[in-house]
C-alpha cells in the first residue's frame, strides 16, 4: 500500500514536470516519463490515465481535444496556474527532504 | 482542492458520467492505436503490434476501473448499496428496528413539540418584524398601597402621541360589551373596539375577507357606536353562531341596536386581547377617560422607531408626567385632582407588549404544565433510550463476527464504518419522519392546555427539529459505532476463533448493560411516584364536600332586562323585584319534576366592623330566599350551629344574619360565633347585625375554590338592583336535571321577555368539569408510568435473558460440576434483584426530589406521601421479579451436555 502511495506521488510529480515544458497528449507524456523514470510505469502505461484524471479533478491540469502531429485525434493536457504553483511547492519540499536525508547520511 | 469543488464534484460527476466513459474509452483506444502503429513501424505484424501495445498498457479494464473508482460517483453508488443492505438488515430484525424508530420518533417529536409551544407562546409570542419594539403604556394608580393600571387620560394620550420622534406606529384596543337580540333571549357578547390599523400593527392576517381601512372607523358615544359600521369576527364565534360558513362575509349582525357588516374572520390562533373577544369594531377617535372611569380598559400600543430603546421611552413618559402635573395643578377639577388624590400621583408605566403574553396567571400555569409534561416525557424517553441502547449494544456485539469476516475479506475499516453510518442515518431518517407525526399530535395536545391570549399560530420550530435530528444521529452513532471500532485487525482473529458467542464484550459491557437497567428502573420509579401522587390527588379532590348536595341541582343565572329594572327607579325597585321573584318561583316550582326552588341574590363586598377589633374587614354580603324560595334548604347546605333564617327575619330593622364557616373562622377563630355582633354602614345609616347561625362553606363551581367569608340576609333587605348583576335561582329536580332545562328557559322567557340569555348549568357537571385539567394530567402520568413499567420490565428481561444466553457454557459447566438448579436460579435472580434494588433506591431518591415540583398540581397530597411510595415500590419490585423469573427458569433448565457441545 505504502509503496503504491509513494509511486503515485512520484508519478503525479513527473506528469506535472513533463507538462511544465508545454502541453502534451497522453502517450507523449508516457514516452517522456519512460525516459525520465522507467519503473514508475512498470505496472503498465495505462496507469498514467487515472493519474491524469485525478490531477484534472484536482484542478492542477486541464485537457482539450485536438489534432496530434500525426494528424490524429488526441487529448492534450496542460498545466493550470495552480498546477504550476503546486509543482513549485512540491519541488521545494522535495529538495529540502533530499538535503536533510543527505545530511543525515553524511553524519552517520 | 477547493472546498466548493469538493462539494460539487460528486454532483458534477453524476451528470457527466457518460461523457467521462466515452472520453476515456476514446482516449485509451487512441493510445493503443498509436502504440500499435509504432510497433508496426518497428517491424511487427498487425496482430503482434496490437498485443504488444496491450501488454505495455496493462489491463485496460483495470485501468478503467481505477479511473472510475477515483471519481466521486462511486461514493454515491456505494451509498446506495449500503442503504439497500441496511434495509435488508432492518427487515431481518423488525422488532429491533421498530423500537429504535419509535424511540427516535418519540424523542424528536416531543422535544420539538414542547419547544415549539414554548417558543410561540412564551418566548416569541408576537409575529412580524420588529415585534420587540411594540410597547404598552398607561397611567397607574395606588389603591391601598398596591399599584393598578388605570387606563389613560386625554392629555396623557395627546402628549405621548406628540412625541413622534420616538414613535413609529400607534394603535390601541378597548373592551366592548354589546348585546345581541336573539329569538328567545338577548346575549351579551364581549369584543374589542380597536383602531383601524390594529391588525396591521400586530401583523394579524384574516382567514376570510379583510381587515380594516381607515375609512371604516365609526365613533363612539359612551360605550356604543353612534352609527352602523363594519366588524371582524373571531374564529370561535364565527363557528358557533354563524355556522362557520364562508358566505358570512357581507352579511350583517345586529349588536347594541346597530347593524354591522361582517367584512372578515380571524384565524383560530388569533386570540387577542383574550380568547373571549368575539369581534373587533374599528373606532375613531379612541375615547380616553375624560373625567370619570369611563374607559379603564383603553390599552394603547406603540411601536418605537428603530434604534429607540425601551428605557428612552420610559424616560420620555416620566418627563411627560412631570409636565402634565405642572400643566394641571391641584385644584384642576378634572385631571389635577384626579391624579393627585385619586391616583396618588401621576405615574406612567411602560412595558414591552411581549410581557402581556409572558406574564400573568395563565402564562404561569402554562409554564408549569409544560414543565411537568416535559419532565414526564423526559423520563419515558430515558427509559426507552436505555432499552434502545441495550438492544443496540447487544446487536452490535452479535455482529462482531460478521464485521470481523468482512474485514478479513478485505473491506476497509472505512467501508465498514460507512456501512454502519448509513444504517444509523437511515434509522434517524425513519425516526425523524415518524417524529414529525408525533410532533403534530403533541402540539395539539399541549395546545388544549393553553388559555393564554395569542396572536401567533403554534409553528413547528424547524431549528429545534434539526437539532433533535442531529442529536439522534449522534447518539445512534455513539452506540452503533463504538463497538464496531473495535473490529480492527487485532480483534478479527480473536472473534473468529471464539465464535459468535464469544464474550468479546467482557465485564465492562455487561456492567454498562446493568447500569442502563438501573437507570430504567429508577426512571420508572419516578414516573410511578408521580402518577401515584396525581391519582391520589384527584381522588382527594373528588371527595371534597362542596358544602351542598349537588345531586340533581341546576343553577340558573338570570339577568333581567337592564332597561326594565332601571326604569322602575329606586323606589319602585322592591315591589318590582318581589313580584318578579315570586313570578319566577311560581313558574319554576310548577314545572313537573321540580322539587324545590331557591334564590340567591348577588354578592356585594362591604366593609364590616367586628366589635372587638378596631379595623375594617371586607366581607361578602348576600341576599337569600328564606320563604318558599329558601336557598339553604333547596341546596341542602348543612347548618353547623344555631338556626337557619326564616320569614320572621325579614324586615329592615331585623338584625339576624347567617354566616358561613369561613367568616366564623376569620372573625372569631376558635370561639363561638353565635350571638356575636357586626356593624356596617348601609345607605348612610349604621346597621348592627347579630349572628344567629353558621352554615357550611359552599363551593358551587370548583372543589378547590377559595370561599369568601359571607353573611346572608333575606334578599328583601336589598333595596336596589344593579344593572347587569345576575340573580341566581337554584332548582332541585327529582330526576335528571338536564331534561328540565328547556322548560325552564321557556318559563323565564315568559316571565321577563327581553332578558339576557339565562345561564343554566347542572351543578354536578360543573364541579366534575372543573377537575378536568387534573384528571387529564393524571391520566397522562399514569399511562406514562404504565408504559415505563412495561418497557423497564422488558428491559430487565432482555438483559438477563441475553446474559443467560451468553453464559450458557458457563452455566452448563456449573451444573455439570454439581451446582443445584436452585443455585443457578439464585445466581440469575440475584443479579436481577441487585439491579432492581439499586434502581428502586435511586428512583425513590430522585422521585422525592422531583415530585417537589408537582406540589402546585397536587391537592391535599404531600409529595412525600408514604402510601404512594410504598405502593410504587411494591408494584415495581413485583414486576421486576417477574422479569427475572423466566430467564432464571431457562438458566436452570440448561442441559449441560447440550451447552458444552454447541456454542
Amino acid at each position: 500500500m505504502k509503496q503504491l502511495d509513494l509511486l503515485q506521488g512520484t508519478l503525479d510529480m513527473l506528469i506535472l514536470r513533463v507538462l511544465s515544458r508545454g502541453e502534451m497528449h497522453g502517450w507523449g507524456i508516457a514516452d517522456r516519463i519512460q525516459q525520465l523514470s522507467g519503473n514508475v510505469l512498470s505496472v503498465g502505461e495505462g496507469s498514467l490515465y487515472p493519474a491524469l484524471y485525478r490531477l484534472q479533478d484536482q484542478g492542477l491540469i486541464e485537457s482539450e481535444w485536438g489534432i496530434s502531429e500525426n494528424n490524429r485525434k488526441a487529448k492534450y493536457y496542460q498545466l493550470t496556474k495552480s498546477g504550476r504553483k503546486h509543482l513549485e511547492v512540491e519541488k521545494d519540499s522535495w529538495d529540502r527532504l533530499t538535503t536533510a536525508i543527505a545530511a543525515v547520511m553524511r553524519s552517520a | 482542492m477547493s472546498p466548493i469543488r469538493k462539494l460539487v464534484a460528486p454532483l458534477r460527476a453524476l451528470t457527466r458520467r457518460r461523457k467521462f466513459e466515452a472520453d476515456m474509452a476514446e482516449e485509451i483506444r487512441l493510445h493503443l492505436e498509436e502504440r500499435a502503429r509504432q510497433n508496426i513501424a518497428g517491424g511487427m505484424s498487425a496482430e503482434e503490434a496490437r498485443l504488444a501495445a496491450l501488454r505495455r498498457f496493462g489491463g485496460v479494464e483495470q485501468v478503467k476501473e481505477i479511473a472510475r473508482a477515483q471519481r466521486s460517483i462511486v461514493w454515491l453508488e456505494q451509498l446506495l448499496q449500503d442503504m439497500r443492505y441496511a434495509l435488508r438488515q432492518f427487515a431481518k430484525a423488525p422488532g429491533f428496528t421498530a423500537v429504535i424508530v419509535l424511540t427516535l420518533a418519540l424523542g424528536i417529536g416531543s422535544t420539538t413539540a414542547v419547544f415549539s409551544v414554548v417558543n410561540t407562546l412564551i418566548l416569541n409570542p408576537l409575529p412580524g418584524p420588529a415585534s420587540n419594539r411594540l410597547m404598552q403604556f398607561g397611567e397607574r394608580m395606588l389603591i391601598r398601597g398596591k399599584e393598578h393600571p388605570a387606563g389613560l387620560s386625554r392629555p396623557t394620550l395627546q402628549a405621548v402621541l406628540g412625541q413622534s420622534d420616538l414613535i413609529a406606529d400607534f394603535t390601541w384596543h378597548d373592551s366592548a360589551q354589546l348585546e345581541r337580540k336573539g329569538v328567545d333571549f338577548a346575549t351579551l357578547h364581549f369584543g374589542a373596539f380597536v383602531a383601524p390599523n390594529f391588525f396591521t400593527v400586530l401583523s394579524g392576517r384574516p382567514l376570510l375577507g379583510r381587515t380594516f381601512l381607515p375609512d371604516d372607523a365609526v365613533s363612539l358615544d359612551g360605550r356604543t357606536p353612534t352609527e352602523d359600521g363594519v366588524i371582524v369576527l373571531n374564529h370561535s364565534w364565527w363557528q358557533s353562531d354563524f355556522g362557520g360558513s364562508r358566505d358570512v362575509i357581507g352579511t350583517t349582525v345586529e349588536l347594541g341596536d346597530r347593524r354591522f357588516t361582517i367584512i372578515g374572520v380571524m384565524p383560530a390562533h388569533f386570540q387577542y386581547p383574550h380568547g373571549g373577544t368575539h369581534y373587533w369594531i374599528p373606532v375613531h377617535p379612541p375615547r380616553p377617560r375624560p373625567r370619570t372611569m369611563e374607559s379603564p380598559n383603553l390599552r394603547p400600543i406603540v411601536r418605537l422607531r428603530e434604534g429607540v430603546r425601551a428605557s428612552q421611552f420610559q424616560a420620555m413618559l416620566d418627563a411627560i408626567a412631570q409636565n402634565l402635573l405642572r400643566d394641571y395643578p391641584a385644584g384642576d377639577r378634572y385631571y389635577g385632582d384626579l391624579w393627585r388624590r385619586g391616583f396618588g400621583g401621576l405615574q406612567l408605566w411602560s412595558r414591552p407588549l411581549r410581557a402581556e403574553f409572558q406574564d400573568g396567571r395563565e402564562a404561569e400555569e402554562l409554564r408549569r404544565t409544560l414543565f411537568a409534561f416535559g419532565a414526564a416525557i423526559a423520563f419515558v424517553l430515558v427509559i426507552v433510550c436505555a432499552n434502545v441502547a441495550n438492544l443496540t449494544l447487544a446487536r452490535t456485539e452479535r455482529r462482531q463476527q460478521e464485521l470481523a469476516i468482512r474485514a478479513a475479506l478485505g473491506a476497509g475499516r472505512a467501508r465498514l464504518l460507512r456501512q454502519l453510518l448509513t444504517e444509523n442515518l437511515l434509522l434517524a431518517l425513519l425516526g425523524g419522519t415518524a417524529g414529525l407525526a408525533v410532533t403534530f399530535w403533541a402540539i395539539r395536545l399541549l395546545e388544549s392546555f393553553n388559555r393564554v391570549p395569542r396572536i401567533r399560530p403554534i409553528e413547528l420550530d424547524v431549528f429545534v427539529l434539526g437539532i433533535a435530528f442531529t442529536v439522534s444521529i449522534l447518539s445512534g452513532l455513539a452506540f452503533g459505532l463504538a463497538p464496531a471500532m473495535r473490529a480492527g485487525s487485532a480483534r478479527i482473529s480473536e472473534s473468529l476463533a471464539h465464535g459468535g458467542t464469544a464474550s468479546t464484550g467482557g465485564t465492562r459491557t455487561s456492567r454498562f448493560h446493568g447500569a442502563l437497567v438501573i437507570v430504567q428502573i429508577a426512571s420508572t420509579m419516578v414516573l410511578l411516584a408521580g402518577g401515584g401522587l396525581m391519582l391520589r390527588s384527584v381522588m382527594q379532590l373528588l371527595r371534597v364536600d362542596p358544602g351542598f348536595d349537588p345531586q340533581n341541582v341546576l343553577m340558573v343565572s338570570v339577568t333581567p332586562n337592564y332597561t326594565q329594572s332601571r326604569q322602575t327607579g329606586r323606589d319602585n325597585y322592591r315591589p318590582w323585584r318581589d313580584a318578579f321573584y315570586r313570578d319566577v318561583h311560581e313558574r319554576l316550582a310548577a314545572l313537573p319534576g321540580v322539587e324545590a326552588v331557591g334564590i340567591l341574590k348577588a354578592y356585594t363586598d362591604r366593609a364590616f366592623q367586628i366589635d372587638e377589633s378596631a379595623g375594617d374587614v371586607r366581607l361578602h354580603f348576600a341576599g337569600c330566599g328564606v320563604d318558599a324560595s329558601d336557598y339553604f334548604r333547596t341546596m341542602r347546605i348543612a347548618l353547623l350551629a344555631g338556626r337557619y333564617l326564616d320569614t320572621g327575619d325579614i324586615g329592615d330593622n331585623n338584625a339576624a344574619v347567617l354566616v358561613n364557616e369561613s367568616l366564623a373562622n376569620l372573625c372569631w377563630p376558635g370561639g363561638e360565633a353565635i350571638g356575636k355582633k357586626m356593624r356596617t354602614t348601609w345607605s348612610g345609616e349604621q346597621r348592627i347585625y347579630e349572628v344567629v347561625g353558621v352554615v357550611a362553606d359552599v363551593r358551587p363551581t370548583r372543589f378547590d375554590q377559595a370561599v369568601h367569608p359571607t353573611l346572608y340576609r333575606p334578599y328583601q333587605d336589598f333595596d336596589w338592583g344593579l344593572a347587569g348583576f345576575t340573580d341566581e335561582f337554584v332548582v332541585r329536580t327529582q330526576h335528571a336535571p338536564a331534561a328540565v332545562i328547556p322548560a325552564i328557559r321557556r318559563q323565564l322567557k315568559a316571565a321577563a321577555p327581553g332578558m339576557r340569555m339565562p345561564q343554566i348549568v347542572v351543578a354536578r357537571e360543573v364541579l366534575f368539569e372543573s377537575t378536568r385539567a387534573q384528571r387529564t394530567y393524571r391520566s397522562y402520568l399514569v399511562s406514562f408510568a404504565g408504559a415505563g413499567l412495561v418497557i423497564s420490565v422488558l428491559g430487565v428481561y432482555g438483559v438477563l435473558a441475553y446474559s443467560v444466553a451468553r453464559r450458557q457454557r458457563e452455566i452448563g459447566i456449573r451444573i455439570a460440576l454439581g451446582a443445584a438448579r436452585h443455585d443457578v436460579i439464585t445466581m440469575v435472580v440475584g443479579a436481577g434483584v441487585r439491579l432492581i434494588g439499586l434502581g428502586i433506591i435511586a428512583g425513590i431518591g430522585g422521585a422525592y426530589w422531583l415530585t417537589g415540583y408537582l406540589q402546585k398540581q397536587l391537592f391535599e397530597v404531600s409529595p412525600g406521601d408514604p402510601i404512594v411510595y410504598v405502593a410504587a415500590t411494591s408494584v415495581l419490585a413485583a414486576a421486576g421479579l417477574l422479569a427475572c423469573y423466566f430467564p432464571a427458569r431457562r438458566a436452570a433448565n440448561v442441559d449441560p451436555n447440550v451447552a458444552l457441545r454447541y456454542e
Side-chain angles (χ1 to χ4, degrees):
Chain A
M1 189 69 134
K2 292 213 168 136
Q3 205 189 19
L4 206 56
D5 283 342
L6 187 58
L7 282 174
Q8 206 174 59
T10 321
L11 181 55
D12 287 0
M13 282 289 300
L14 286 171
I15 293 174
L16 292 177
R17 183 83 178 85
V18 163
L19 287 178
S20 71
R21 300 246 201 87
E23 65 176 16
M24 182 70 72
H25 46 58
W27 66 83
I29 300 177
D31 282 337
R32 197 67 61 79
I33 287 181
Q34 203 74 25
Q35 293 167 7
L36 290 176
S37 161
N39 63 339
V40 171
L41 288 181
S42 62
V43 287
E45 265 189 345
S47 58
L48 175 68
Y49 286 99
L52 283 171
Y53 300 150
R54 186 177 57 250
L55 288 170
Q56 184 168 15
D57 270 344
Q58 288 171 346
L60 298 175
I61 62 179
E62 54 192 7
S63 67
E64 207 175 36
W65 282 105
I67 308 287
S68 76
E69 53 276 5
N70 301 352
N71 248 343
R72 314 211 73 83
K73 193 173 169 196
K75 203 179 206 186
Y76 278 87
Y77 292 88
Q78 64 180 16
L79 273 187
T80 62
K81 209 165 29 177
S82 53
R84 219 168 276 279
K85 216 184 315 173
H86 186 87
L87 185 59
E88 282 300 319
V89 169
E90 287 302 300
K91 187 169 181 304
D92 280 342
S93 58
W94 177 255
D95 284 339
R96 260 181 283 131
L97 179 65
T98 44
T99 317
I101 292 178
V104 166
M105 296 320 288
R106 249 182 284 122
S107 67
Chain B
M1 208 195 311
S2 85
I4 306 168
R5 262 199 120 106
K6 268 197 180 157
L7 217 60
V8 174
L11 293 151
R12 272 197 314 164
L14 195 65
T15 51
R16 303 216 296 217
R17 179 158 159 230
R18 257 185 293 196
K19 183 169 185 299
F20 168 74
E21 288 287 332
D23 274 0
M24 179 167 65
E26 175 87 351
E27 201 173 355
I28 292 179
R29 182 182 67 81
L30 287 166
H31 181 113
L32 290 170
E33 271 182 17
E34 179 61 31
R35 284 288 178 245
R37 198 170 307 117
Q38 285 174 359
N39 289 342
I40 291 175
M44 291 191 209
S45 71
E47 188 58 29
E48 269 176 25
R50 197 177 61 83
L51 285 173
L54 274 172
R55 241 178 290 126
R56 187 169 165 192
F57 191 84
V60 171
E61 269 319 304
Q62 264 171 299
V63 163
K64 283 192 180 175
E65 197 54 49
I66 295 176
R68 285 186 198 121
Q70 269 174 188
R71 288 169 58 85
S72 317
I73 186 158
V74 182
W75 180 80
L76 246 156
E77 279 179 342
Q78 280 183 333
L79 179 67
L80 285 170
Q81 198 182 27
D82 287 341
M83 284 179 77
R84 261 173 294 171
Y85 183 76
L87 285 171
R88 270 206 305 272
Q89 294 291 88
F90 294 161
K92 276 202 284 191
F96 171 75
T97 314
V99 170
I100 295 202
V101 169
L102 277 173
T103 314
L104 285 172
L106 199 65
I108 296 177
S110 54
T111 318
T112 313
V114 169
F115 213 81
S116 301
V117 171
V118 167
N119 195 28
T120 308
L121 296 181
I122 296 176
L123 293 178
N124 290 312
L126 300 173
S131 54
N132 51 342
R133 295 209 302 270
L134 290 169
M135 308 282 294
Q136 290 178 310
F137 67 94
E139 292 173 10
R140 218 192 322 244
M141 67 169 137
L142 287 171
I143 301 182
R144 290 195 287 273
K146 269 183 49 177
E147 289 186 348
H148 293 264
L152 204 62
S153 323
R154 206 195 297 274
T156 314
L157 182 61
Q158 282 172 344
V160 172
L161 289 185
Q163 299 290 331
S164 55
D165 50 342
L166 287 186
I167 295 176
D169 282 317
F170 168 71
T171 189
W172 56 271
H173 61 87
D174 198 351
S175 60
Q177 279 182 34
L178 295 172
E179 205 176 72
R180 185 185 185 203
K181 296 205 189 349
V183 173
D184 287 327
F185 300 102
T187 359
L188 191 64
H189 288 279
F190 294 95
F193 295 124
V194 298
N197 65 351
F198 177 75
F199 290 110
T200 320
V201 172
L202 291 179
S203 311
R205 262 179 285 279
L207 181 69
L208 291 180
R210 63 173 180 90
T211 55
F212 306 127
L213 299 167
D215 285 338
D216 292 328
V218 296
S219 53
L220 281 181
D221 170 27
R223 307 303 300 157
T224 45
T226 53
E227 49 186 315
D228 295 349
V230 297
I231 193 171
V232 166
L233 304 179
N234 90 335
H235 195 263
S236 60
W237 196 31
W238 174 57
Q239 293 282 345
S240 62
D241 281 16
F242 297 88
S245 138
R246 302 186 87 85
D247 301 325
V248 78
I249 306 289
T251 62
T252 60
V253 57
E254 228 180 85
L255 284 171
D257 298 324
R258 296 255 167 259
R259 303 187 82 84
F260 294 93
T261 313
I262 301 172
I263 58 165
V265 177
M266 291 307 284
H269 58 77
F270 194 95
Q271 296 168 23
Y272 187 69
H274 53 78
T277 309
H278 280 177
Y279 53 84
W280 295 271
I281 293 176
V283 161
H284 188 80
R287 296 278 303 212
R289 181 185 58 248
R291 284 176 277 283
T292 62
M293 295 292 285
E294 224 180 65
S295 99
N297 290 323
L298 178 65
R299 299 270 180 261
I301 299 173
V302 295
R303 192 201 304 274
L304 302 176
R305 283 193 194 274
E306 237 182 276
V308 176
R309 280 193 309 273
S311 50
Q312 292 172 275
F313 185 59
Q314 181 62 49
M316 177 195 90
L317 289 176
D318 293 336
I320 286 180
Q322 281 190 339
N323 290 342
L324 285 173
L325 280 175
R326 191 193 54 217
D327 294 340
Y328 292 87
D332 169 73
R333 250 186 325 137
Y334 299 145
Y335 301 110
D337 281 349
L338 174 69
W339 288 332
R340 284 169 178 79
R341 280 211 282 272
F343 284 12
L346 176 60
Q347 275 220 324
L348 299 177
W349 58 270
S350 71
R351 71 169 180 186
L353 183 59
R354 236 190 355 259
E356 186 178 352
F357 298 85
Q358 293 169 334
D359 303 338
R361 212 178 20 162
E362 290 107 342
E364 219 242 46
E365 212 177 289
L366 178 69
R367 262 196 290 267
R368 264 207 307 273
T369 312
L370 282 177
F371 179 76
F373 247 94
I377 290 187
F379 279 109
V380 175
L381 266 182
V382 163
I383 295 172
V384 184
C385 283
N387 244 21
V388 169
N390 268 334
L391 279 175
T392 318
L393 272 177
R395 182 163 163 271
T396 317
E397 278 170 19
R398 272 203 301 276
R399 287 182 74 188
Q400 287 282 52
Q401 199 186 14
E402 174 211 328
L403 292 170
I405 292 176
R406 287 181 71 189
L409 283 178
R413 223 170 65 174
R415 186 85 175 81
L416 287 177
L417 285 176
R418 203 170 53 213
Q419 166 69 45
L420 289 164
L421 175 63
T422 315
E423 271 179 33
N424 280 297
L425 275 174
L426 209 54
L427 277 177
L429 259 171
L430 288 171
T433 321
L436 270 176
V438 172
T439 309
F440 286 124
W441 171 82
I443 285 183
R444 228 154 7 116
L445 167 69
L446 290 171
E447 250 190 303
S448 68
F449 282 102
N450 175 50
R451 278 193 298 273
V452 182
R454 285 167 43 191
I455 289 186
R456 282 183 67 187
I458 295 188
E459 287 153 2
L460 202 69
D461 194 328
V462 185
F463 183 61
V464 173
L465 188 68
I467 291 190
F469 205 73
T470 315
V471 167
S472 64
I473 293 180
L474 288 176
S475 52
L477 287 178
F479 286 121
L481 290 189
M485 300 287 255
R486 295 198 250 126
S489 45
R491 313 284 284 178
I492 296 178
S493 50
E494 189 190 314
S495 53
L496 279 176
H498 286 155
T501 55
S503 50
T504 41
T507 34
R508 208 175 59 177
T509 328
S510 56
R511 260 211 283 267
F512 192 60
H513 281 291
L516 285 176
V517 167
I518 293 179
V519 167
Q520 276 186 311
I521 300 284
S523 308
T524 309
M525 185 67 200
V526 173
L527 281 178
L528 281 173
L533 285 172
M534 275 312 289
L535 215 83
R536 269 210 87 188
S537 171
V538 172
M539 273 178 1
Q540 297 283 76
L541 199 59
L542 291 173
R543 264 213 294 253
V544 168
D545 179 8
F548 66 104
D549 179 7
Q551 190 75 11
N552 292 338
V553 168
L554 290 167
M555 325 276 248
V556 181
S557 300
V558 163
T559 316
N561 189 303
Y562 170 55
T563 23
Q564 235 181 35
S565 56
R566 266 265 272 232
Q567 270 163 8
T568 54
R570 228 172 154 114
D571 294 323
N572 295 331
Y573 173 72
R574 279 197 193 177
W576 172 84
R577 187 239 358 246
D578 291 348
F580 177 61
Y581 282 9
R582 235 192 336 266
D583 187 22
V584 171
H585 179 101
E586 273 169 19
R587 286 175 182 272
L588 295 184
L591 289 174
V594 170
E595 221 173 73
V597 178
I599 291 177
L600 184 71
K601 187 83 187 75
Y603 301 129
T604 69
D605 207 27
R606 302 195 78 83
F608 283 83
Q609 293 93 38
I610 318 298
D611 11 29
E612 293 93 52
S613 60
D616 274 6
V617 163
R618 289 205 83 85
L619 305 168
H620 278 211
F621 198 178
C624 56
V626 295
D627 39 25
S629 338
D630 191 300
Y631 175 67
F632 296 97
R633 298 225 173 73
T634 311
M635 290 277 275
R636 297 196 191 144
I637 298 174
L639 180 70
L640 300 174
R643 63 169 178 86
Y644 287 117
L645 295 175
D646 54 44
T647 45
D649 298 308
I650 299 178
D652 281 344
N653 295 323
N654 197 288
V657 287
L658 280 183
V659 298
N660 68 358
E661 218 183 326
S662 295
L663 191 152
N665 289 337
L666 176 71
C667 299
W668 307 285
E672 176 73 52
I674 309 288
K676 296 285 197 302
K677 295 197 179 9
M678 21 217 309
R679 260 196 302 269
T680 190
T681 324
W682 182 264
S683 309
E685 296 171 7
Q686 261 242 345
R687 295 260 190 114
I688 302 183
Y689 293 110
E690 182 179 329
V691 179
V692 300
V694 181
V695 289
D697 285 342
V698 178
R699 292 184 170 83
T701 40
R702 294 181 62 100
F703 286 110
D704 53 0
Q705 73 184 107
V707 176
H708 293 283
T710 311
L711 352 65
Y712 299 91
R713 277 283 308 161
Y715 69 77
Q716 285 82 351
D717 256 20
F718 289 70
D719 61 359
W720 42 266
L722 279 183
F725 265 54
T726 48
D727 300 326
E728 203 149 281
F729 289 84
V730 289
V731 176
R732 182 173 288 282
T733 60
Q734 281 160 343
H735 304 292
V740 188
I741 294 182
I744 294 182
R745 270 199 227 281
R746 276 197 298 273
Q747 290 304 321
L748 286 174
K749 181 178 171 198
M755 75 150 67
R756 293 243 183 86
M757 171 82 79
Q759 303 296 321
I760 308 181
V761 291
V762 179
R764 274 200 76 199
E765 277 174 21
V766 170
L767 281 172
F768 191 64
E769 186 60 24
S770 75
T771 59
R772 189 153 67 101
Q774 273 117 327
R775 276 182 294 119
T776 312
Y777 190 52
R778 169 205 64 183
S779 309
Y780 278 107
L781 261 188
V782 168
S783 2
F784 285 161
L789 187 64
V790 167
I791 299 175
S792 290
V793 162
L794 283 176
V796 170
Y797 169 77
V799 164
L800 283 178
Y802 181 66
S803 146
V804 162
R806 263 190 324 145
R807 295 161 68 190
Q808 271 207 326
R809 235 166 61 145
E810 175 202 335
I811 296 174
I813 292 175
R814 281 182 194 250
I815 295 180
L817 285 178
R821 297 218 176 242
H822 80 257
D823 284 335
V824 175
I825 292 186
T826 314
M827 184 180 79
V828 176
V829 172
V833 164
R834 213 182 4 253
L835 291 177
I836 295 175
L838 284 171
I840 290 184
I841 293 175
I844 290 184
Y848 195 75
W849 173 54
L850 285 167
T851 49
Y853 289 104
L854 263 185
Q855 181 75 55
K856 286 232 170 70
Q857 324 263 48
L858 296 176
F859 181 76
E860 289 193 10
V861 176
S862 96
D865 192 289
I867 300 181
V868 169
Y869 280 84
V870 166
T873 310
S874 326
V875 167
L876 195 49
L881 281 173
L882 188 68
C884 296
Y885 170 67
F886 291 102
R889 210 176 61 155
R890 182 133 44 104
N893 291 339
V894 162
D895 183 347
N897 296 320
V898 176
L900 284 170
R901 206 175 310 146
Y902 297 105
E903 283 291 5

